[in-house]
Amino acid sequence: MTRRPLLATFFAALLGAVPLPSALAQGSFIVMASTTSTEQSGLFAHLLPAFKQATGIDVRVVALGTGQALDTARRGDADVVFVHDQVAEEKFVAEGFGLKRLPVMYNDFIVVGPKADPAATRGKDVTAALKKVAAAGVPFVSRGDKSGTHAAELRYWKAAGIDVAAAKPAGYKECGCGMGPALNMASSLNGYVLTDRGTWLNFRNRGELAVLVEGDRRLFNQYGVMVVHPARHAHVKLAQAQRFADWIVSPAGQAAIAAYKIGGEQLFFPNAGM
C-alpha cells in the first residue's frame, strides 16, 4: 500500500506532472569572464545580487586580465564577457567569438606613486609622467598580464616614445598579476603604477602611495559586454547570458552601477546609450 503513492509520484514526475527540484535547479547560473578591476573594486559584490534578484540567475565570475578573459571565452569556458579593451573586444566580435558588443560604463585610469613623488610626475599629462619615471629610474610596476590595464599602459609608454618591449626602463618591474597585487607590489616598493580608479578606491594597503596623475583624456577607460557566440560553442547559455547583457544596459542595471560608491565617491559611470 505504501509503495503505490511513491510509484505514482515517480511516474508522474517522469511525465512532467510533478517537477523535480534538482532538475529545475540546473542551468540557473552563467559563467562570466571579466577583469580583476571589476572584481577587486567591489562592483560585482554590489551588482550581481541585484541581477539575481531581478532574474533568479546566478553569475559565477572568472576574474582575469582582459586578454585572458577573452581567451577563456574563445575556448568556450564562459557564457558572457565583461571587459575593458575596446580594440580587443571588437576583434573578438569580428572573429565570430562574440555577439554584438555593448558599451556599459566607464571610469578612468590614474597613476599612483609615492607622495614624495621623486620623479616629479604630479600633474595631468600621463606621457610626460612616464618619461620622468623612466629618466629617474624609479620603480614602476607593470601588470604585464595582457589585461586591459596593461594594454593601456603599453599605449601610454609608446605615446611617450619609450619602447618597453625593446628596452625596459631601469626601475620597470612586471608582476604578471591582477590590479590588487600590482598595487600591493607598488606599495611595498614605494613605486609608481597605472591603475583603474575603482580598484584604487577599494584598495586599503596604500602605504605612502597617492594619486599623482589624473584627468588626461587619454586615461578614459571604457567597459563593454558581449555574449559568447553559440555558433562557436553550442553549449553557451545564450538566453541567460543575453538576459545579463540586456539587464546591465537597462535602466535598472545602469542605476545599479551608478549607485556603487565608496566613501561617497562613485566608481563607475554608466554610458550604455553612448
Side-chain angles (χ1 to χ4, degrees):
M1 296 291 291
T2 56
R3 294 181 62 189
R4 286 177 178 266
L6 291 174
L7 289 171
T9 301
F10 174 74
F11 286 115
L14 289 178
L15 293 171
V18 178
L20 294 176
S22 60
L24 288 177
Q26 291 178 2
S28 60
F29 72 90
I30 56 172
V31 175
M32 176 166 63
S34 191
T35 72
T36 61
S37 60
T38 43
E39 177 77 4
Q40 293 171 2
S41 66
L43 176 67
F44 284 154
H46 164 81
L47 202 62
L48 298 184
F51 173 67
K52 183 177 181 180
Q53 184 177 13
T55 65
I57 301 169
D58 272 313
V59 180
R60 300 179 184 177
V61 178
V62 180
L64 303 160
T66 287
Q68 293 172 306
L70 290 170
D71 285 343
T72 296
R74 284 187 177 95
R75 295 193 301 268
D77 293 331
D79 302 298
V80 65
V81 192
F82 189 4
V83 289
H84 64 136
D85 184 346
Q86 187 166 343
V87 172
E89 293 164 42
E90 290 172 348
K91 183 173 184 283
F92 179 81
V93 171
E95 291 171 343
F97 287 102
L99 297 177
K100 183 179 179 181
R101 175 190 176 275
L102 301 172
V104 177
M105 64 186 188
Y106 70 93
N107 67 356
D108 64 341
F109 292 116
I110 52 178
V111 177
V112 302
K115 293 175 185 175
D117 193 17
T121 63
R122 189 174 274 105
K124 184 177 179 179
D125 190 327
V126 63
T127 58
L130 292 179
K131 287 178 184 178
K132 292 175 180 178
V133 166
V138 293
F140 180 93
V141 177
S142 168
R143 283 182 55 173
D145 63 349
K146 297 183 180 180
S147 62
T149 304
H150 182 220
E153 178 216 317
L154 294 178
R155 289 196 300 271
Y156 302 145
W157 282 113
K158 184 177 180 180
I162 300 169
D163 184 355
V164 294
K168 294 177 175 58
Y172 192 87
K173 302 179 186 301
E174 293 177 299
C175 70
C177 62
M179 198 66 255
L183 281 165
N184 276 320
M185 187 172 173
S187 179
S188 175
L189 294 171
N190 211 26
Y192 294 81
V193 63
L194 178 79
T195 178
D196 67 285
R197 191 183 294 271
T199 306
W200 167 252
L201 289 172
N202 204 36
F203 183 63
R204 297 290 176 262
N205 183 33
R206 295 184 179 184
E208 293 299 310
L209 299 183
V211 178
L212 298 175
V213 182
E214 60 183 331
D216 191 323
R217 61 178 179 80
R218 292 169 291 187
L219 293 171
F220 177 81
N221 181 29
Q222 177 71 44
Y223 289 78
V225 67
M226 297 163 292
V227 174
V228 177
H229 207 307
R232 288 280 187 170
H233 300 288
H235 64 271
V236 165
K237 296 175 181 175
L238 176 61
Q240 291 165 310
Q242 191 63 57
R243 284 194 76 183
F244 176 79
D246 292 342
W247 181 84
I248 201 68
V249 300
S250 73
Q254 296 280 281
I257 291 169
Y260 182 53
K261 298 179 181 181
I262 293 179
E265 187 166 353
Q266 186 172 334
L267 275 71
F268 298 93
F269 299 85
N271 66 344
M274 66 174 290

